[in-house]
Every structure is written in structure tokens, then in C-alpha cells.
Amino acid sequence: MMEGFNGFVKDPNYEALDIPGRRRSRVYAAQFLFATILLMSANLRALATFLTKEPTTQISTKTRTSRRSNRDT
């Protein structure tokens, strides 16, 4: 699971977290902030993909019929 997400955030067409030249700054706090924003963007992109994906399985909506009791009344 984690390795898949690492590849997801390193995608050069989107966040490209593994390319340091895209977020140049000398200050560590700024580097941390840029990386945090990129990870947030990747999470939102993954969430949007999940929500727009069509479900592959159908959920059965059968209703249960009540059974007649075998008790003698």
C-alpha cells in the first residue's frame, strides 16, 4: 500500500515529489511546507479518483420475506 502511494506522489505529471528542482528553497521550513502541500494535493487527487470511479460489484437489495411460524396456536 505504501509503495503504491510513493509511486503515486512521485508521478512526474502531477506532484513529482522526487524532483527537488520543482520546489527550490534554501529554508528547511519552506521545503517542509512545499512537501506537505504536494502530499495534500496527492491525497485529494486520490480521493477524487476514488469517488468518481464506478463500483465494480453490485450490492444485492433483496428483501427477506418473513417465514411462517411452525408453532401450533
Side-chain angles (χ1 to χ4, degrees):
M1 175 74 181
M2 185 52 113
E3 289 299 320
F5 188 72
N6 285 341
F8 189 74
V9 297
K10 291 180 181 182
D11 185 2
N13 294 324
Y14 294 99
E15 287 82 21
L17 194 61
D18 63 337
I19 303 173
R22 291 190 64 185
R23 54 185 193 285
R24 288 187 182 164
S25 177
R26 293 179 186 265
V27 182
Y28 178 75
Q31 287 282 342
F32 186 78
L33 180 64
F34 294 150
T36 303
I37 292 171
L38 288 173
L39 286 173
M40 182 184 68
S41 170
N43 280 327
L44 290 174
R45 186 166 57 98
L47 184 61
T49 301
F50 174 75
L51 291 176
T52 58
K53 194 179 280 190
E54 292 289 324
T56 57
T57 59
Q58 294 291 331
I59 298 173
S60 177
T61 58
K62 287 184 180 178
T63 58
R64 291 183 72 181
T65 58
S66 60
R67 294 183 182 181
R68 194 176 71 182
S69 175
N70 288 337
R71 290 184 283 164
D72 292 326
T73 54

